[in-house]
Amino acid sequence: MKWLALAACTLVACGDNAAATFDADPQCVPPAPNAGSLSGLVTGVVTQLAQAPRATASERDTTRTELAMQLTTAGWTPMLETYPTGANVYATIPATITTTRQIIVGAHFDTVTGSPGANDNGTGVAAVIGVAHYLHDVPCRGATVTIMLFDEEEQGLFGSRAYANVLSAQGANVIAVHTVDQIGWDSDGDRRFELELPTAALETEYRAAAGLLGIPVTPTTTSGTDHQSFRSAGFPSVGITEEYVGGDTSPYRHTPQDTAATVDLSYLVLGTQLVARVVAAELAP
């Protein structure tokens, strides 16, 4: 949903020391996220999710099992963060230094009734899983990254709000929150992504990464999806999406036609690379 304008778990807060680049230690330079390896991965995630309804409580429970397997395959330990009406699935990717800095990378996995939800939001989940895989290749991590798959976005941002409240209560040192929602439609082929309500620093980071990929980005004032929960809790946040404000957005959102066949997979890979590059830069120790 968008508008214009815990089984007991330990959620680790992370890091103090930030740096803009990896120049101080050449051994810490991360590889560029590889489009070839990401392509098969994100295609598989979107296809699998679109084959399973994710609207009812029982359907989402089944999906959580699949998401846990995806995080295990990525090499991280899946956990549940429960709240009164649902449960998020997450994995903690530890920093390689002693720090309290923390980065959140998330996407909602639920759908509305009657929609396969390939783009909304199988694409966001696929991108986040892709980032989780990529972070194995980042040799130096100056923050802990929490990969978070949110429940009940479509019902009112319940999953992301529950997690944001946990972080707020902890006084967590969150340096950035990235949420991905619908990055599978690009009918005009311009490869443009929208940045929803970015802070000035996050906009700068995304513009730099987009420049390396040779793609355009546009900031917007769109709220009403998961990034809003974290902004409301006081954390620097941004949403990444297709051209929702620009008008080049899927006409199949919340319909039975939101299938894997309508997803622009090469555009999805680009979006995954974009987020991965930004997170890698934020991880500079």
Side-chain angles (χ1 to χ4, degrees):
M1 75 176 48
K2 294 187 181 184
W3 302 280
L4 293 176
L6 313 213
C9 57
T10 302
L11 302 171
V12 181
C14 322
D16 298 313
N17 306 313
T21 70
F22 290 90
D23 293 345
D25 185 354
Q27 294 184 346
C28 282
V29 176
N34 183 273
S37 60
L38 286 173
S39 180
L41 172 65
V42 299
T43 299
V45 173
V46 168
T47 300
Q48 189 161 38
L49 286 175
Q51 293 172 346
R54 308 185 301 282
T56 69
S58 61
E59 290 167 350
R60 297 196 309 276
D61 192 48
T62 299
T63 301
R64 278 188 281 271
T65 300
E66 172 56 32
L67 296 176
M69 291 176 61
Q70 291 284 353
L71 291 173
T72 300
T73 300
W76 310 111
T77 301
M79 300 285 286
L80 286 181
E81 187 236 356
T82 64
Y83 58 93
T85 60
N88 302 320
V89 183
Y90 74 97
T92 299
I93 299 174
T96 57
I97 64 172
T98 300
T99 179
T100 64
R101 299 168 71 234
Q102 184 170 2
I103 297 166
I104 313 300
V105 184
H108 78 88
F109 66 85
D110 59 311
T111 63
V112 299
T113 300
S115 177
N119 191 27
D120 184 16
N121 188 31
T123 56
V125 172
V128 171
I129 295 293
V131 171
H133 277 262
Y134 167 68
L135 290 179
H136 266 291
D137 299 327
V138 176
C140 304
R141 298 188 295 269
T144 293
V145 180
T146 301
I147 299 294
M148 202 79 182
L149 302 169
F150 303 115
D151 199 357
E152 293 189 305
E153 187 267 359
E154 300 289 3
Q155 283 71 39
L157 315 185
F158 293 147
S160 58
R161 187 178 297 115
Y163 182 51
N165 288 342
V166 168
L167 293 174
S168 182
Q170 290 178 339
N173 182 17
V174 177
I175 63 168
V177 180
H178 311 264
T179 68
V180 189
D181 195 349
Q182 289 189 224
I183 55 168
W185 185 270
D186 182 39
S187 63
D188 63 10
D190 67 357
R191 288 352 210 180
R192 183 179 299 277
F193 291 90
E194 291 183 351
L195 309 176
E196 299 175 326
L197 284 169
T199 63
L202 283 167
E203 181 179 345
T204 297
E205 292 173 18
Y206 271 92
R207 287 193 182 280
L212 293 173
L213 290 167
I215 59 175
V217 292
T218 300
T220 74
T221 58
T222 307
S223 62
T225 187
D226 290 310
H227 60 87
Q228 185 61 50
S229 297
F230 297 92
R231 184 175 298 99
S232 297
F235 300 119
S237 309
V238 61
I240 300 88
T241 192
E242 62 204 29
E243 288 186 83
Y244 179 72
V245 174
D248 188 17
T249 190
S250 174
Y252 304 122
R253 173 175 168 266
H254 290 184
T255 74
Q257 288 73 47
D258 186 8
T259 65
T262 69
V263 170
D264 184 333
L265 293 168
S266 63
Y267 179 69
L268 168 57
V269 169
L270 267 178
T272 306
Q273 290 177 290
L274 177 64
V275 178
R277 280 182 176 271
V278 172
V279 173
E282 292 173 341
L283 286 172

PDB file of all heavy atoms in Angstrom, residues 22-30 139-140:
ATOM      1  N   PHE A  22      36.380   2.871   1.210  1.00  0.00           N
ATOM      2  CA  PHE A  22      37.229   1.789   1.689  1.00  0.00           C
ATOM      3  C   PHE A  22      38.708   2.085   1.399  1.00  0.00           C
ATOM      4  O   PHE A  22      39.538   1.198   1.454  1.00  0.00           O
ATOM      5  CB  PHE A  22      36.843   0.476   0.990  1.00  0.00           C
ATOM      6  CG  PHE A  22      35.508  -0.065   1.401  1.00  0.00           C
ATOM      7  CD1 PHE A  22      34.364   0.302   0.724  1.00  0.00           C
ATOM      8  CD2 PHE A  22      35.394  -0.942   2.453  1.00  0.00           C
ATOM      9  CE1 PHE A  22      33.124  -0.206   1.094  1.00  0.00           C
ATOM     10  CE2 PHE A  22      34.155  -1.455   2.836  1.00  0.00           C
ATOM     11  CZ  PHE A  22      33.027  -1.078   2.152  1.00  0.00           C
ATOM     12  N   ASP A  23      39.052   3.349   1.093  1.00  0.00           N
ATOM     13  CA  ASP A  23      40.382   3.671   0.628  1.00  0.00           C
ATOM     14  C   ASP A  23      41.465   3.335   1.643  1.00  0.00           C
ATOM     15  O   ASP A  23      42.604   3.063   1.283  1.00  0.00           O
ATOM     16  CB  ASP A  23      40.472   5.160   0.273  1.00  0.00           C
ATOM     17  CG  ASP A  23      39.613   5.501  -0.942  1.00  0.00           C
ATOM     18  OD1 ASP A  23      39.207   4.565  -1.643  1.00  0.00           O
ATOM     19  OD2 ASP A  23      39.362   6.697  -1.163  1.00  0.00           O
ATOM     20  N   ALA A  24      41.140   3.376   2.944  1.00  0.00           N
ATOM     21  CA  ALA A  24      42.164   3.164   3.957  1.00  0.00           C
ATOM     22  C   ALA A  24      42.729   1.747   3.921  1.00  0.00           C
ATOM     23  O   ALA A  24      43.870   1.531   4.307  1.00  0.00           O
ATOM     24  CB  ALA A  24      41.603   3.466   5.338  1.00  0.00           C
ATOM     25  N   ASP A  25      41.986   0.795   3.462  1.00  0.00           N
ATOM     26  CA  ASP A  25      42.428  -0.598   3.435  1.00  0.00           C
ATOM     27  C   ASP A  25      41.976  -1.236   2.128  1.00  0.00           C
ATOM     28  O   ASP A  25      40.819  -1.627   1.994  1.00  0.00           O
ATOM     29  CB  ASP A  25      41.853  -1.358   4.629  1.00  0.00           C
ATOM     30  CG  ASP A  25      42.386  -2.792   4.716  1.00  0.00           C
ATOM     31  OD1 ASP A  25      43.102  -3.224   3.783  1.00  0.00           O
ATOM     32  OD2 ASP A  25      42.081  -3.475   5.707  1.00  0.00           O
ATOM     33  N   PRO A  26      42.878  -1.363   1.163  1.00  0.00           N
ATOM     34  CA  PRO A  26      42.496  -1.938  -0.135  1.00  0.00           C
ATOM     35  C   PRO A  26      41.887  -3.334  -0.024  1.00  0.00           C
ATOM     36  O   PRO A  26      41.100  -3.744  -0.873  1.00  0.00           O
ATOM     37  CB  PRO A  26      43.818  -1.966  -0.907  1.00  0.00           C
ATOM     38  CG  PRO A  26      44.658  -0.919  -0.264  1.00  0.00           C
ATOM     39  CD  PRO A  26      44.273  -0.922   1.188  1.00  0.00           C
ATOM     40  N   GLN A  27      42.246  -4.073   1.032  1.00  0.00           N
ATOM     41  CA  GLN A  27      41.698  -5.410   1.197  1.00  0.00           C
ATOM     42  C   GLN A  27      40.210  -5.387   1.524  1.00  0.00           C
ATOM     43  O   GLN A  27      39.543  -6.413   1.457  1.00  0.00           O
ATOM     44  CB  GLN A  27      42.455  -6.168   2.292  1.00  0.00           C
ATOM     45  CG  GLN A  27      43.899  -6.459   1.939  1.00  0.00           C
ATOM     46  CD  GLN A  27      44.599  -7.281   2.998  1.00  0.00           C
ATOM     47  OE1 GLN A  27      44.101  -7.423   4.120  1.00  0.00           O
ATOM     48  NE2 GLN A  27      45.756  -7.823   2.655  1.00  0.00           N
ATOM     49  N   CYS A  28      39.702  -4.202   1.892  1.00  0.00           N
ATOM     50  CA  CYS A  28      38.295  -4.087   2.234  1.00  0.00           C
ATOM     51  C   CYS A  28      37.418  -3.687   1.058  1.00  0.00           C
ATOM     52  O   CYS A  28      36.204  -3.561   1.216  1.00  0.00           O
ATOM     53  CB  CYS A  28      38.120  -3.056   3.357  1.00  0.00           C
ATOM     54  SG  CYS A  28      38.565  -3.688   4.990  1.00  0.00           S
ATOM     55  N   VAL A  29      38.002  -3.470  -0.093  1.00  0.00           N
ATOM     56  CA  VAL A  29      37.208  -3.040  -1.247  1.00  0.00           C
ATOM     57  C   VAL A  29      36.237  -4.157  -1.643  1.00  0.00           C
ATOM     58  O   VAL A  29      36.657  -5.268  -1.965  1.00  0.00           O
ATOM     59  CB  VAL A  29      38.100  -2.680  -2.438  1.00  0.00           C
ATOM     60  CG1 VAL A  29      37.244  -2.331  -3.663  1.00  0.00           C
ATOM     61  CG2 VAL A  29      39.018  -1.525  -2.090  1.00  0.00           C
ATOM     62  N   PRO A  30      34.925  -3.898  -1.609  1.00  0.00           N
ATOM     63  CA  PRO A  30      33.959  -4.950  -1.957  1.00  0.00           C
ATOM     64  C   PRO A  30      33.860  -5.113  -3.466  1.00  0.00           C
ATOM     65  O   PRO A  30      34.056  -4.155  -4.219  1.00  0.00           O
ATOM     66  CB  PRO A  30      32.645  -4.415  -1.383  1.00  0.00           C
ATOM     67  CG  PRO A  30      32.799  -2.928  -1.472  1.00  0.00           C
ATOM     68  CD  PRO A  30      34.254  -2.644  -1.220  1.00  0.00           C
ATOM     69  N   PRO A 139      34.129  -8.037   2.265  1.00  0.00           N
ATOM     70  CA  PRO A 139      35.096  -8.573   3.229  1.00  0.00           C
ATOM     71  C   PRO A 139      35.140  -7.833   4.557  1.00  0.00           C
ATOM     72  O   PRO A 139      35.501  -8.415   5.582  1.00  0.00           O
ATOM     73  CB  PRO A 139      36.432  -8.434   2.492  1.00  0.00           C
ATOM     74  CG  PRO A 139      36.217  -7.318   1.515  1.00  0.00           C
ATOM     75  CD  PRO A 139      34.772  -7.403   1.098  1.00  0.00           C
ATOM     76  N   CYS A 140      34.805  -6.543   4.561  1.00  0.00           N
ATOM     77  CA  CYS A 140      34.872  -5.754   5.788  1.00  0.00           C
ATOM     78  C   CYS A 140      33.519  -5.089   6.001  1.00  0.00           C
ATOM     79  O   CYS A 140      33.050  -4.344   5.140  1.00  0.00           O
ATOM     80  CB  CYS A 140      35.966  -4.694   5.689  1.00  0.00           C
ATOM     81  SG  CYS A 140      37.613  -5.359   5.315  1.00  0.00           S
TER      82      CYS A 140
END
